[in-house]
Amino acid sequence: MSDSSSKSHLKGYVILDNPRLNKGTAFTEEERKTLGLEGLLPPTVETLDRQVERVLSHLDRKPNDLERYIYLIGLSDTNETLFYKVIMSDPVRFMPIVYDPTVADACLNFGHIFRRANGIYLTKDMKDQFVETLRNWPIKDIRFICISTGGRILGLGDIGANGMGIPIGKLQLYTACAAVPPQHLLPILLDIGTTNDALRADPLYLGTRSTPPSEETVNNIADAFMIAANEVFPGVCIHFEDWKGTDAMRLLDRYRDQYLCYNDDIQGTASIVTAGLATAMQIKKEKFNEQRILILGAGSAGIGIANMIRSAIKMEGISEADSYKAIHLIDIDGLIGKNRKDLNKWQKPYAHDEKIENNLLTIIKELKPTTLIGVSTQGGAFTKEVVKEMASLNERPIIFALSNPTDHAECTAEQAYNWSNGQALFAAGVQFPDVNFKGKSLHPGQANNFLIFPAVGLAVYATKPKRITDDLFVEAAFALADQVDQDARNRGMLFPETKNILEMEVTTATRIAEYMFDHHMATVKRPANIRSWIESLLYNPTYS
Ligand SMILES: NC(=O)C1=CN([C@@H]2O[C@H](COP(=O)(O)OP(=O)(O)OC[C@H]3O[C@@H](n4cnc5c(N)ncnc54)[C@H](OP(=O)(O)O)[C@@H]3O)[C@@H](O)[C@H]2O)C=CC1
Ligand SMILES: CC(=O)C(=O)O
Ligand SMILES: [Mg+2]
């Protein structure tokens, strides 16, 4: 793929082979003549809309979403404009195909369905050549890198280099959801090895076949990457995604005050949960500080969520010390409590006095939460008894089953509504279908960080700040919640409808950008009208 600014000298197959320049059958007769394409394409000259029609009919004939994913990735590798034209034409339909949950299947099968490389693969042995390796990328103006080690992909655990589907998919959402121009995006898989024995034994596995090194070595490799990325792509924003939980938290702490970076699983997830809770508070006419929150899963997502809920509680005038009281977390060994000797430094502040047997139902009976959030990777952890107990404790229990993909969700929408007698304010990481409960159609929320990070990305793309702070994610959360109108709240909806996703992300990005200008974080001049300025920067999938 080459920089479109240098395209004038390119001719013939080189152009057809470049997904950013290729228009396929849409090259005009004149373009075919000047670019040496005569005879290399069938004679009919088509419009972009006609090409979209063909893609849609191909997709209709595919037997399942994984095959549709493979077809669409193939399209993005051959004609980027057409790819984005298709997925931006109907985000509700295509989001679950290019991203969660289908991307989970694609990652599990990555080595088996691999056709063409996209992005950069760095291995730990290249550490001293990261600068030279990054310079191999043909485009110089990279504004976002999404980087994963594959150490914790969705709820699938460590799948090493197979995780590359996630940086690719996440960056596609910057464009598909928030129209960030795709030429500025670079997916990277940092291959530090994998603990996954089955993958290392798979002849078609494409990553290195070692196990991950010590934390100290991971720090050194990550340090070398951060230095190299900022040298090769000055001003680049590093988006960390799906690293092993402790790596994620440690490295965010290490870099957040030094580089332009964020961790989507920690900050993006926390923001979408805070948005959903803000709407739930309006529906229930209650405050954050009146809630008792129980989080199943005390890893990167759980800790990020707990920290941001505390920000919302503190905004209501509660002290830092008191803000911890309302939040309890559970990991695989049970309740995070003062009796535990194995807690990490991010969990310790949430250790309370209670000592309760490691059983979710018993913990709920004791703590009487108003809100139950699942980020545990454990599909089915919210059993019938658990949901019924939440419903007996609360008129409108808040139940978020956020683990991905679908079969890792702590419960389904149907279960949450049926077992709570239709009362649950429910959201999941994937979009479950509407549920008919006693003749009433209930629309489950989708609490997925894709409603947040593309908007943050767009705001960062426009305003070029030096750092990304948690405050920006809090602002994003309230900006999103403010877009759920009274009528939608009356219907129990926690998030705005995704059919107008671009407009929604632009609205959120505008609020974040305003915040950055107000707090002297933006490094560009404040425009008279922030929204129309942002709109003028949006990518539009048309042929030039
Ligand atoms: N909807 C969304 O937008 C998002 C959803 N997620 C989902 O959240 C899940 C967790 O992600 P993340 O926090 O980053 O992962 P981590 O690996 O960092 O954390 C997982 C946590 O769950 C705990 N856990 C594992 N099994 C159980 C169990 N049976 N009972 C109780 N706790 C358990 C782990 O405990 P221990 O450490 O002791 O093993 C750990 O505390 C994933 O499935 C991911 O897909 C994540 C980000 C965004
Ligand atoms: C959505 C997401 O980021 C995750 O499940 O990891
Ligand atoms: Mg993630």
Side-chain angles (χ1 to χ4, degrees), residues 6 46 73 87 91 124 136 161 170 177 228 232 247 257 299 347 360 370 377 468 480:
S6 62
E46 293 185 309
I73 284 291
I87 60 172
K124 55 180 190 263
N136 286 340
K170 286 274 174 176
C177 301
V232 179
D247 286 346
D257 296 328
Q347 295 168 331
L360 181 57
T370 59
T377 74
I468 296 179
L480 189 67

Side-chain angles (χ1 to χ4, degrees), residues 98-383:
V98 293
Y99 178 58
D100 187 23
T102 310
V103 73
D105 278 345
C107 286
L108 287 172
N109 294 293
F110 189 78
H112 292 249
I113 62 173
F114 180 83
R115 294 182 180 200
R116 179 177 170 153
N118 179 2
I120 286 193
Y121 292 81
L122 298 173
T123 71
K124 55 180 190 263
D125 300 331
M126 291 174 177
K127 180 172 148 283
D128 297 330
Q129 294 94 47
F130 280 171
V131 168
E132 293 76 5
T133 313
L134 291 177
R135 287 212 169 108
N136 286 340
W137 190 249
I139 296 160
K140 301 302 156 211
D141 188 10
I142 291 300
R143 302 282 296 278
F144 294 92
I145 286 174
C146 180
I147 183 164
S148 182
T149 53
R152 189 286 284 149
I153 293 292
L154 307 168
L156 307 173
D158 178 358
I159 57 168
N162 274 20
M164 184 51 145
I166 290 291
I168 292 173
K170 286 274 174 176
L171 288 178
Q172 284 171 344
L173 297 195
Y174 277 67
T175 306
C177 301
V180 177
Q183 66 268 28
H184 301 301
L185 312 173
L186 171 58
I188 295 189
L189 192 286
L190 179 60
D191 186 341
I192 58 169
T194 176
T195 52
N196 192 318
D197 296 336
L199 273 185
R200 280 187 283 111
D202 178 352
L204 291 184
Y205 179 59
L206 290 161
T208 58
R209 286 160 203 275
S210 57
T211 51
S214 66
E215 279 189 1
E216 198 189 332
T217 306
V218 172
N219 287 353
N220 292 337
I221 297 168
D223 285 355
F225 166 73
M226 294 303 276
I227 293 167
N230 280 276
E231 183 179 329
V232 179
F233 307 115
V236 68
C237 172
I238 309 294
H239 163 163
F240 290 95
E241 188 72 44
D242 288 8
W243 290 52
K244 190 178 84 173
T246 43
D247 286 346
M249 292 188 282
R250 194 179 69 254
L251 294 177
L252 181 62
D253 285 358
R254 195 174 175 90
Y255 301 133
R256 63 190 310 156
D257 296 328
Q258 204 188 341
Y259 294 105
L260 181 66
C261 67
Y262 72 98
N263 183 299
D264 179 42
D265 297 298
I266 300 173
Q267 296 160 292
T269 312
S271 181
I272 189 64
V273 169
T274 305
L277 290 181
T279 312
M281 291 307 98
Q282 298 200 42
I283 294 172
K284 290 175 59 147
K285 301 197 177 11
E286 291 176 5
K287 291 183 171 170
F288 276 87
N289 71 58
E290 293 166 328
Q291 307 308 306
R292 288 179 303 281
I293 317 263
L294 183 60
I295 305 177
L296 186 73
S300 35
I303 295 290
I305 292 167
N307 288 341
M308 200 166 290
I309 292 176
R310 284 194 310 102
S311 297
I313 291 175
K314 286 188 283 182
M315 285 162 75
E316 294 173 344
I318 305 297
S319 71
E320 168 80 15
D322 285 348
S323 67
Y324 287 94
K325 290 184 183 161
I327 303 173
H328 286 75
L329 292 124
I330 302 173
D331 71 2
I332 202 157
D333 297 312
L335 195 62
I336 301 296
K338 287 193 175 142
N339 59 315
R340 298 268 303 263
K341 300 283 171 261
D342 60 330
L343 304 182
N344 63 41
K345 69 171 186 179
W346 302 280
Q347 295 168 331
K348 273 185 188 153
Y350 292 96
H352 300 296
D353 292 325
E354 293 91 350
K355 202 174 154 214
I356 308 171
E357 146 195 18
N358 184 9
N359 176 297
L360 181 57
L361 184 60
T362 314
I363 295 172
I364 291 174
K365 283 185 173 164
E366 290 271 328
L367 297 180
K368 304 189 182 358
T370 59
T371 303
L372 179 63
I373 298 171
V375 276
S376 66
T377 74
Q378 287 306 303
F382 297 168
T383 59

